[in-house]
Amino acid sequence: MNRTVFVNGEYLPETEAKISIFDRGFLMADAVYEVTSVLDSKLIDFDGHALRLKRSLDELQMAEPCTKEELLEIHRKLVEKNGIEEGLVYLQVTRGSDGDRDFVFPPADTKPTLVLFTQNKPGLADSPAARKGAKVISIDDIRWGRRDIKTTQLLYPSLGKMMAKAAGCDDAWMIEDGHVTEGTSNNAYFVKGGKIVTRPLSNEILHGITRKAVLRMAAEAQMEVEERLFTIDEAKEADEAFTTSASAFVMPVIEIDGVQLGDGSPGPIAKRLREIYLDESRKAAI
Ligand code: PMP
């Protein structure tokens, strides 16, 4: 593969892209990111991702690398240059480097590092994984306390996915103080008696862009939604469950900790929400 990527103002072949070894993104995970999906060569919910990026940067007192309009142009150019019809645009901003390692932030005028690259994923929308549904396990949530900031500290979520794989499953839901927080890379929901239940927004979970859109669409479709804390046992007794994320949209969950939900196939509400989400998102894509 030889993608064209974007690094600090330049479009380059991926093999020629360079970042300093002193970059704080590399040394300290002092970095935030966004992932925007691409369908029909257009960006899904770009505004939502740009807004959350700004919030993550503000929370960490990190400078904005460029304007929202410039970011949009870079996204679009990369989609075009790499011929992406279905896939993802990954964006990362780091606090940059002043040429050494120090816990103290570098001077405020240090230029942030901006990197973007595409991932080509034909069949992202019509995904066999979504038709089958995902099996999840539950694990302790031992991440830091500011999960609302989308940092690149992804070692524990990555270990969580590996724990799931080792158990013959697809993903893990994390549990803190007896309640489910979220999936390793998605927000978590269950459905019981027609009601969709998901954890309310707080610093304990990422404020998913897909979550926001899906909850709005569920309300518009007259589905009942309750935002409250829930346990893994409640989820195991549910009629169905699902997750949401920009990279997998609405993903049905068919098994939790070895307990099959319903008849073990994707539930009707998850399937319907996936359809509505894909349909509405394609229409609003830019
Ligand atoms: N929670 C976590 C921990 C995530 O990593 C993600 C995906 N980035 C999400 C939720 C879903 O967020 P979004 O819908 O914005 O992709």
Side-chain angles (χ1 to χ4, degrees):
M1 191 169 2
N2 201 357
R3 282 170 283 203
T4 297
V5 302
F6 180 93
V7 182
N8 292 329
E10 283 186 286
Y11 294 90
L12 299 163
E14 62 183 52
T15 47
E16 287 170 31
K18 289 196 183 72
I19 296 289
S20 164
I21 62 158
F22 298 111
D23 193 283
R24 286 176 60 95
F26 175 63
L27 294 178
M28 297 187 178
D30 189 355
V32 299
Y33 75 109
E34 283 297 331
V35 178
T36 303
S37 56
V38 177
L39 293 176
D40 314 319
S41 301
K42 287 184 181 168
L43 301 164
I44 303 298
D45 219 335
F46 174 80
D47 278 352
H49 290 284
L51 204 66
R52 183 173 62 188
L53 174 67
K54 168 90 172 81
R55 180 177 181 278
S56 294
L57 292 169
D58 287 350
E59 290 297 311
L60 296 174
Q61 296 134 49
M62 218 184 269
E64 277 176 78
C66 61
T67 66
K68 184 178 150 190
E69 290 68 35
E70 287 165 332
L71 274 186
L72 176 59
E73 193 193 320
I74 301 166
H75 276 75
R76 283 176 160 164
K77 270 208 176 137
L78 282 181
V79 167
E80 192 199 315
K81 283 178 188 288
N82 292 296
I84 308 293
E85 278 177 35
E86 289 197 2
L88 307 168
V89 181
Y90 176 91
L91 167 159
Q92 181 168 328
V93 184
T94 86
R95 205 181 302 275
S97 151
D98 64 349
D100 206 352
R101 179 179 184 271
D102 196 336
F103 279 81
V104 172
F105 288 177
D109 62 353
T110 304
K111 263 179 77 71
T113 296
L114 175 63
V115 169
L116 289 95
F117 57 82
T118 53
Q119 292 184 302
N120 192 26
K121 302 218 181 255
L124 189 67
D126 186 19
S127 125
R131 262 180 268 136
K132 192 159 156 258
K135 295 179 178 180
V136 305
I137 57 166
S138 60
I139 59 173
D140 282 342
D141 196 338
I142 59 166
R143 296 173 300 161
W144 80 323
R146 289 304 306 275
R147 302 159 194 157
D148 57 312
I149 308 173
K150 197 166 167 61
T151 73
T152 60
Q153 299 177 61
L154 296 174
L155 184 53
Y156 187 66
S158 172
L159 289 172
K161 284 256 202 249
M162 295 311 292
M163 287 185 244
K165 291 245 174 287
C169 291
D170 306 292
D171 203 359
W173 283 13
M174 296 179 280
I175 299 181
E176 185 173 60
D177 298 333
H179 296 113
V180 174
T181 50
E182 57 189 335
T184 58
S185 60
N186 42 59
N187 292 113
Y189 311 72
F190 74 86
V191 184
K192 183 80 179 172
K195 189 196 283 179
I196 301 164
V197 177
T198 195
R199 188 180 176 106
L201 295 182
S202 68
N203 290 354
E204 277 80 49
I205 62 169
L206 187 75
H207 301 188
I209 300 305
T210 321
R211 177 188 185 280
K212 188 174 178 187
V214 165
L215 290 187
R216 176 174 49 78
M217 292 169 194
E220 283 166 6
Q222 318 296 330
M223 295 177 184
E224 201 185 338
V225 177
E226 190 180 4
E227 294 181 60
R228 65 164 172 86
L229 299 183
F230 64 94
T231 66
I232 197 75
D233 285 340
E234 278 183 276
K236 282 183 205 167
E237 284 161 17
D239 302 326
E240 55 173 297
F242 61 93
T243 60
T244 61
S245 67
S247 54
F249 314 120
V250 178
M251 174 64 67
V253 168
I254 55 164
E255 187 185 295
I256 302 175
D257 286 336
V259 176
Q260 180 183 300
L261 304 185
D263 66 1
S265 64
I269 291 192
K271 283 203 292 198
R272 181 83 194 104
L273 280 174
R274 184 178 175 91
E275 275 171 21
I276 298 174
Y277 178 79
L278 285 170
D279 197 38
E280 298 273 312
S281 300
R282 280 185 201 276
K283 280 190 210 146
I286 59 167

